[in-house]
């Protein structure tokens, strides 16, 4: 490493006292990477454990090897319907590295060890003798009668043939992300499938203008209501939604539309379930996870990985490569990064830089994330890597060589929290425009942010979406186009303004959760005992936006125009916004970004004729987006076809109506 300051420290003088901490995290990474390269040849080869462990066909020996890492186990045997679940039929042998293996020659097992055969591994250890699902299972299915899970061989006679070459990720410099959950993406009261999603939802994302979809709940998980965040089998796509080949078809279809597909990957924790997951697999109590209380997440009722173990690192890194290689995912959104970064898992206030570099920072987890991001970008240049972190860890989305952790983007998690708090705790008259501006622009220089007004988090039971918080029960009674209602008018106006304010100021990328773009009513509540296992609220009611007699179409139409504007003028990749006017009394915010002038009037009643404000470039201006147009459910109070000319001092005069945003562009003709 050079003696010069790392770029991360150069960019932020407040990091000077922590220079040694930052340098050491870089040294640790390079030291471990060199070790990997010496022992495995390369990071990519190191992240290839799934081709050795689990079930893999050996072309030279003409048969299948099954291998499992279980160092503390006393005995293992492969069982399944191919051997009548007889633990004596196929015992496994242990080598010196704690890996057990058994070979099944094709000549003997060709008619029994076949596609869709059910399998488990019987593990004898300190905790007794138990049938477990192999850790590297690539498909896991649930018995509809007994409800227990088993591994299933996935060896179709004709492997999936990809139709598309994939998306040129180097061209997606302004990610517009449509966050999705396949199971609840359909209107029916039930679980949607990969194929239904490809047919019905992908065209919606395309029509809206999004260029990335983020798939939740892809890993197999035993409890549907966990939203996919209690993972049991890390190499198996959830069988609830269909087969592995059907997931590939979904991704292939998205690529054909020019849409990249990012996986919501959960490496921050794992399900606690014994029979379905990895918990106490070899009987030691600390194989994949930390021992004792450190292995238990106090808030999530789940198990925590030991990122200090080489075998665990290899398991997780191989998992990333597997999803990119086998399913052609274009990157990952890493869930629960805050929990990974600190041994307190984020249960503190991050009010001082000391909190980022103290003894409670998990250096092993930081090293894993650095390795993960390096691997992702080595395997697929341009792949997207996004961190869900609420702590604001410096350097999270800066390159490792600059002192960072290597993510491309971080989620702007403070933005939706701010909007919900504002709507919940303050009347419209109390809104502070300086707080609004500060919150949307408060991000670390040189670190890209995905801005969003709301994600799935704000839609869950116990919270409310922005639309539902604005309009609540009135949405049930006053959404007809012919029904004039003040609550709905306010909700429709502010919903549009909040979204455009967020996308135009909040970051270098943008995200929304499916359905929220048209103000989907109510919350998300997965089937559970408390609701009599109902799917009523675990679905998306697309018919609402398709019904031309309802006002949901206005939300949707504005979303399309907003996204088109963002793409056409490259707003997300433009320089940060320049403030032009802040008017407390009238709650007016005017700024310039990407040579466009944004005029927001958040006041609940002040509409002002001939409002005078400065523009940076003299000339003729025209409104190119006006949230008050009738086609967006507005009142058409301003003619968007008029030309506006700056005066000799570069001032424009414009009728700015209350609860309206207008975007102006200068024209040369």
């Amino acid at each position: 490493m050079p003696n010069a300051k790392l770029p991360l420290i150069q960019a932020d003088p407040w990091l000077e006292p922590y220079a040694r901490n930052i340098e050491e995290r870089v040294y640790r990474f390079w030291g471990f990477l060199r070790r990997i390269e010496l022992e495995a040849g390369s990071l990519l080869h190191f992240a290839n454990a799934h081709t050795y462990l689990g079930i893999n066909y050996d072309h030279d020996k003409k048969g299948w090897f099954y291998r499992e890492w279980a160092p503390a186990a006393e005995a293992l045997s492969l069982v399944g319907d191919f051997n009548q679940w007889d633990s004596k039929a196929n015992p496994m042998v242990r080598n010196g590295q704690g890996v057990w293996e058994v070979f099944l020659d094709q000549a003997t097992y060709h008619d029994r060890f076949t596609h869709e055969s059910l399998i488990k591994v019987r593990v004898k250890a300190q905790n007794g003798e138990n049938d477990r699902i192999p850790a590297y299972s690539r498909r896991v299915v649930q018995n509809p009668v007994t409800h227990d899970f088993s591994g299933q061989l996935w060896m179709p006679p004709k492997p999936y043939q990809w139709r598309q070459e994939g998306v040129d990720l180097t061209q997606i410099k302004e990610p517009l992300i449509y966050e999705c959950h396949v199971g609840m993406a359909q209107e029916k009261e039930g679980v949607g499938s990969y194929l239904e999603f490809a047919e019905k939802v992908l065209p919606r994302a395309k029509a809206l203008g999004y260029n990335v979809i983020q798939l939740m709940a892809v890993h197999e998980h035993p409890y549907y209501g966990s939203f996919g965040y209690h993972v049991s089998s890390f190499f198996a796509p959830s069988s609830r939604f269909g087969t592995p080949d059907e997931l590939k078809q979904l991704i292939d279809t998205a690529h054909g539309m020019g849409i990249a597909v990012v996986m919501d990957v959960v490496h921050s924790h794992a399900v606690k379930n014994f029979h379905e997951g990895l918990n106490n697999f070899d009987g030691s109590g600390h194989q994949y996870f930390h021992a004792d209380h450190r292995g238990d997440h106090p808030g999530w009722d789940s198990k925590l990985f030991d990122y200090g173990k080489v075998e665990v690192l290899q398991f997780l890194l191989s998992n990333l490569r597997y999803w990119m290689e086998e399913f052609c995912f274009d990157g990952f959104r890493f869930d629960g990064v805050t929990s990974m970064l600190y041994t307190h898992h984020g249960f503190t206030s991050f009010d001082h830089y000391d909190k980022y570099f103290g003894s409670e920072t998990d250096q092993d987890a930081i090293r894993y994330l650095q390795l993960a991001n390096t691997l992702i970008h080595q395997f697929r240049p341009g792949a997207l890597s996004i961190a869900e972190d609420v702590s604001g860890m410096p350097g999270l989305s800066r390159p490792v060589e600059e002192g960072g952790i290597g993510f491309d983007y971080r989620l702007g998690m403070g933005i939706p929290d701010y909007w919900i708090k504002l709507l919940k705790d303050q009347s419209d008259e109390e809104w502070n425009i300086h707080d609004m501006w500060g919150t949307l622009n408060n991000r670390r220089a040189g670190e890209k942010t995905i801005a969003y007004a709301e994600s799935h988090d704000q839609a869950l039971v116990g919270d409310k979406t922005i639309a539902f918080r604005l309009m609540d029960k009135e949405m049930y009674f006053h959404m007809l186009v012919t029904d004039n209602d003040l609550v709905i008018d306010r909700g429709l106006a502010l919903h549009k303004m909040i979204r455009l304010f967020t996308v135009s100021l909040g970051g270098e990328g943008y995200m929304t959760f499916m359905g929220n773009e048209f103000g989907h009513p109510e919350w998300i509540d997965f089937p559970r005992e408390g609701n009599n296992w109902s799917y009523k609220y675990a679905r998306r009611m697309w018919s609402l936006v398709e019904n031309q007699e309802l006002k949901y179409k206005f939300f949707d139409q504005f979303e399309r125009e907003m996204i088109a504007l963002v793409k056409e003028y490259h707003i997300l990749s433009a320089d940060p916004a320049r403030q032009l006017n802040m008017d407390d009394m009238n709650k007016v915010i005017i700024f310039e970004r990407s040579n466009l002038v944004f005029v927001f009037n958040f006041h609940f009643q002040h509409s002002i004729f001939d409002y005078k404000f400065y523009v940076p470039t003299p000339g003729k201006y025209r409104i190119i987006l006006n949230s008050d147009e009738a086609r967006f459910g507005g009142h058409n109070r301003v003619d968007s076809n008029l030309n506006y000319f700056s005066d000799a001092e570069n001032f424009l005069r414009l009728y700015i109506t209350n609860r309206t945003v207008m975007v102006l562009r200068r024209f040369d003709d």
Side-chain angles (χ1 to χ4, degrees):
M1 294 289 294
N3 292 325
K5 292 179 185 176
L6 289 165
L8 177 63
I9 302 169
Q10 293 178 25
D12 185 355
W14 289 96
L15 290 174
E16 286 278 5
Y18 311 96
R20 184 172 178 178
N21 302 79
I22 296 169
E23 289 164 357
E24 284 179 351
R25 77 184 183 191
V26 178
Y27 291 143
R28 276 190 296 270
F29 162 77
W30 287 115
F32 196 81
L33 181 60
R34 290 190 189 100
R35 174 185 166 186
I36 288 174
E37 291 171 343
L38 285 172
E39 295 178 2
S42 68
L43 180 59
L44 285 170
H45 193 267
F46 178 76
N48 225 4
H50 55 288
T51 64
Y52 178 73
L53 294 166
I55 293 172
N56 292 285
Y57 186 78
D58 190 309
H59 291 276
D60 294 329
K61 293 184 177 292
K62 305 295 183 186
W64 297 272
F65 273 105
Y66 167 52
R67 299 185 181 94
E68 193 75 61
W69 175 61
E74 298 171 12
L76 269 69
S77 60
L78 181 62
V79 297
D81 50 20
F82 74 98
N83 65 6
Q84 289 75 52
W85 303 92
D86 182 2
S87 62
K88 297 178 181 178
N90 299 96
M92 301 174 70
V93 178
R94 175 179 172 167
N95 67 20
Q97 285 74 47
V99 174
W100 300 74
E101 73 172 37
V102 63
F103 179 72
L104 289 79
D105 66 280
Q106 186 174 0
T108 304
Y109 290 95
H110 71 280
D111 59 346
R112 287 181 283 159
F113 200 72
T114 57
H115 178 55
E116 296 187 331
S117 293
L118 299 179
I119 58 166
K120 286 189 178 182
V121 57
R122 191 156 297 165
V123 182
K124 183 180 180 182
Q126 293 178 13
N127 56 349
E129 191 169 288
N130 299 281
D131 285 355
R132 308 298 300 269
I133 296 172
Y136 285 80
S137 289
R138 301 188 183 189
R139 179 159 168 80
V140 174
V141 294
Q142 186 176 22
N143 186 302
V145 178
T146 65
H147 303 297
D148 67 317
F149 289 81
S150 298
Q152 185 183 57
L153 298 181
W154 191 255
M155 305 183 296
K158 292 183 179 180
Y160 183 82
Q161 297 296 311
W162 292 88
R163 302 188 307 273
Q164 308 295 332
E165 293 184 2
V167 176
D168 184 358
L169 295 175
T170 61
Q171 299 303 308
I172 300 184
K173 298 177 181 177
E174 299 171 286
L176 293 156
I177 303 171
Y178 199 59
E179 185 187 31
C180 305
H181 183 287
V182 169
M184 61 170 292
Q186 305 306 316
E187 184 148 354
K188 65 183 180 183
E189 292 190 33
V191 179
S193 71
Y194 296 125
L195 296 184
E196 287 175 317
F197 185 93
E199 177 189 354
K200 299 177 181 179
V201 181
L202 282 178
R204 294 181 183 277
K206 176 69 175 177
L208 287 165
Y210 286 89
N211 55 17
V212 180
I213 60 166
Q214 179 178 299
L215 287 186
M216 305 172 61
V218 175
H219 294 293
E220 189 60 79
H221 48 290
Y223 179 47
Y224 189 47
S226 76
F227 231 136
Y229 290 121
H230 275 192
V231 176
S232 53
S233 295
F234 284 80
F235 287 81
S238 178
S239 59
R240 280 188 184 85
F241 314 136
T243 69
D245 285 8
E246 288 168 346
L247 173 58
K248 291 176 182 178
Q249 186 173 331
L250 183 164
I251 296 168
D252 208 5
T253 304
H255 287 167
M257 296 178 176
I259 298 174
V261 186
V262 167
M263 177 178 172
D264 196 348
V265 72
V266 185
H267 283 181
S268 48
H269 62 133
V271 73
K272 210 171 185 177
N273 300 32
F274 177 79
H275 290 289
E276 293 87 1
L278 299 172
N279 188 10
N280 207 11
F281 191 94
D282 71 348
S284 66
H286 55 82
Q287 182 185 355
Y288 286 94
F289 311 114
H290 286 290
D292 303 322
H293 69 277
R294 192 178 171 192
D296 296 317
H297 195 290
W300 295 346
D301 192 33
S302 54
K303 301 299 293 183
L304 296 168
F305 286 106
D306 183 351
Y307 304 105
K309 282 188 178 179
V310 173
E311 295 87 352
V312 174
L313 288 177
Q314 192 170 32
F315 175 81
L316 295 173
L317 291 169
S318 299
N319 191 237
L320 297 175
R321 174 170 180 165
Y322 168 75
W323 289 109
M324 296 184 77
E325 188 170 47
E326 183 69 20
F327 291 90
C328 296
F329 275 101
D330 300 299
F332 302 95
R333 177 266 203 187
F334 282 74
D335 176 69
V337 169
T338 306
S339 177
M340 299 171 73
L341 291 173
Y342 313 97
T343 56
H344 54 59
H345 310 301
F347 294 116
T348 187
S349 59
F350 293 93
D351 51 3
H352 195 282
Y353 273 34
D354 286 351
K355 299 289 184 71
Y356 300 124
F357 304 105
S359 60
E360 292 181 301
T361 301
D362 191 332
Q363 301 300 337
D364 291 334
I366 288 177
R367 182 182 63 186
Y368 164 65
L369 292 171
Q370 290 172 317
L371 289 166
N373 285 306
T374 302
L375 171 74
I376 290 165
H377 296 116
Q378 280 186 5
F379 186 85
R380 182 86 183 274
L384 294 166
S385 177
I386 305 165
E388 186 209 33
D389 170 53
V390 72
S391 76
M393 166 66 80
L396 188 68
S397 53
R398 290 286 289 266
V400 176
E401 57 269 23
E402 294 184 6
I405 297 177
F407 287 98
D408 297 311
Y409 297 88
R410 68 196 315 157
L411 289 181
M413 298 183 70
I415 300 173
D417 289 346
Y418 172 76
W419 287 125
I420 294 299
K421 191 174 190 317
L422 188 70
L423 293 171
K424 182 179 178 181
D425 296 341
Q426 295 185 25
S427 66
D428 296 4
E429 296 92 326
E430 295 174 311
W431 288 17
N432 185 313
I433 62 171
H434 299 282
D435 285 347
M436 294 167 66
W437 174 270
T439 300
L440 270 293
N441 286 280
N442 182 23
R443 54 188 181 275
R444 298 191 62 83
E447 299 197 38
K448 293 181 180 179
T449 296
I450 302 291
Y452 61 108
E454 55 188 345
S455 68
H456 70 273
D457 286 328
Q458 286 71 40
L460 292 169
V461 166
D463 206 338
K464 292 182 180 180
T465 62
I466 287 176
F468 205 43
R469 194 170 289 281
L470 285 167
M471 296 174 280
D472 209 78
K473 67 181 186 299
E474 302 306 318
M475 297 183 78
Y476 301 127
F477 308 108
H478 300 291
M479 289 301 284
L480 283 171
V481 171
T482 55
D483 189 344
N484 295 319
D485 184 85
L486 293 177
V487 172
I488 299 300
D489 278 356
R490 169 183 176 266
L492 183 55
L494 290 179
H495 192 273
K496 292 179 289 185
M497 295 182 74
I498 286 170
R499 293 179 119 63
L500 185 51
F501 198 71
T502 299
V503 72
S504 59
L505 285 178
E508 293 72 32
Y510 179 71
M511 181 180 76
T512 195
F513 181 69
M514 61 178 191
N516 285 1
E517 73 278 359
F518 67 82
H520 197 287
E522 300 176 333
W523 48 81
I524 297 168
D525 187 15
F526 281 93
R528 54 187 172 83
E529 188 175 359
N531 63 17
N532 293 318
W533 305 103
S534 170
Y535 287 88
K536 182 178 181 181
Y537 298 108
R539 58 191 180 120
R540 297 282 88 178
M541 298 171 66
W542 305 109
S543 60
L544 293 174
V545 70
E546 293 166 353
N547 189 335
Q548 294 302 300
E549 295 182 1
L550 298 178
K551 295 178 181 178
Y552 295 100
K553 67 178 182 179
F554 297 140
F555 295 95
D556 188 75
Q557 185 59 39
F558 184 78
E559 179 91 359
R560 292 169 188 248
E561 296 290 335
M562 180 184 81
I563 296 297
L565 178 86
V566 168
K567 292 170 76 172
E568 181 179 355
Y569 294 96
H570 301 286
I571 291 170
L572 294 171
S573 60
D575 291 337
R578 178 166 43 150
Q579 191 181 103
L580 301 178
N581 185 80
M582 298 289 281
D583 180 349
D584 281 315
M585 184 178 72
N586 294 303
K587 301 199 181 301
V588 171
I589 302 174
I590 303 175
F591 59 87
E592 178 272 331
R593 192 174 186 192
S594 196
N595 297 316
L596 300 178
V597 176
F598 295 78
V599 181
F600 285 86
N601 179 355
F602 283 98
H603 204 280
F604 71 101
Q605 66 178 11
H606 287 181
S607 296
I608 309 156
F609 288 98
D610 277 345
Y611 192 91
K612 182 179 177 182
F613 60 94
Y614 173 82
V615 289
T617 308
K620 179 179 70 175
Y621 285 79
R622 191 176 301 148
I623 298 168
I624 59 173
L625 183 63
N626 177 5
S627 68
D628 194 50
E629 287 187 20
R631 63 194 176 116
F632 303 137
H635 302 287
N636 243 10
R637 290 172 288 177
V638 176
D639 187 349
S640 296
N641 295 315
L642 296 177
N643 294 321
Y644 299 89
F645 296 88
S646 61
D647 60 22
E649 297 177 327
N650 284 21
F651 282 91
L652 274 184
R653 294 178 182 272
L654 181 68
Y655 176 34
I656 58 170
T657 53
N658 68 306
R659 288 183 179 147
T660 301
V661 54
M662 291 178 280
V663 184
L664 293 90
R665 176 192 161 195
R666 189 178 69 85
F667 287 83
D668 293 326
D669 59 329

